[in-house]
Amino acid sequence: MTGDDHPTDEAFLVDTMLGSLATYLRMCGYDAAYAGDRGIERDDDLLALASTERRRLLTRNRALADRTDRSLLLSSRDVVEQLAELVEAGVPLDVEETPTYCGDCNGRLESVDRTEPTPKYAPDPHDEAVWRCRECGQHFWKGSHWDDVAETLADL
């Protein structure tokens, strides 16, 4: 599955109170913009961005959530409990087989060719699949963190 054919094709705007949640959503193939990355904190600006980019707003702010039909109010401060709240609200959460969104900036990922060199922190693409963010250049692979996230989601 790729981000282009996610079962819901839903894009999210994650407010600044839910920053860790954005990374999990990206690993599940969702286009998850984080308001903090965009320097947006004012409620009116969050609502305008969510509307302009047709994103569902994820927030812990009841007054903000009440201002739009395209929001999901989360109550927990704990990211695993937030994930459980999303599942309960009908948002499918499974780690993608082939990652499509950068965990750092939400840019699109591309596969690194086996012949390309990688930074010292990344494995050799001859040994395992590696992806690079088209926006920030960060490299990703399915390491132990990937397994940990998959296990967390399986336990929800």
Side-chain angles (χ1 to χ4, degrees), residues 10-14 50 53-59 69-73 86 89-91:
E10 188 162 34
F12 294 103
L13 175 58
V14 181
E53 295 186 4
R54 302 179 54 131
R55 294 179 180 278
R56 187 172 184 188
L57 178 64
L58 302 179
T59 185
D69 292 336
R70 295 214 9 100
S71 68
L72 183 56
L73 178 66
L86 287 175
V91 177

Side-chain angles (χ1 to χ4, degrees), residues 47-142:
L47 293 170
L49 179 62
S51 176
T52 299
E53 295 186 4
R54 302 179 54 131
R55 294 179 180 278
R56 187 172 184 188
L57 178 64
L58 302 179
T59 185
R60 290 186 53 241
N61 180 329
R62 180 174 301 281
L64 179 59
D66 287 345
R67 292 179 58 191
T68 178
D69 292 336
R70 295 214 9 100
S71 68
L72 183 56
L73 178 66
L74 303 177
S75 60
S76 180
R77 292 178 185 264
D78 178 77
V79 70
V80 174
E81 291 174 12
Q82 293 165 357
L83 292 165
E85 288 181 79
L86 287 175
V87 169
E88 187 174 307
V91 177
L93 295 178
D94 296 297
V95 176
E96 282 200 309
E97 185 63 32
T98 301
T100 54
Y101 288 98
C102 176
D104 290 339
C105 78
N106 200 45
R108 295 299 294 228
L109 299 180
E110 61 188 2
S111 184
V112 173
D113 187 80
R114 293 174 49 129
T115 62
E116 289 184 57
T118 55
K120 289 182 180 182
Y121 68 82
D124 185 328
H126 246 113
D127 299 329
E128 64 183 284
V130 178
W131 296 269
R132 175 183 47 244
C133 177
R134 294 177 188 168
E135 300 296 320
C136 72
Q138 181 77 19
H139 285 69
F140 294 89
W141 63 98
K142 293 182 183 179

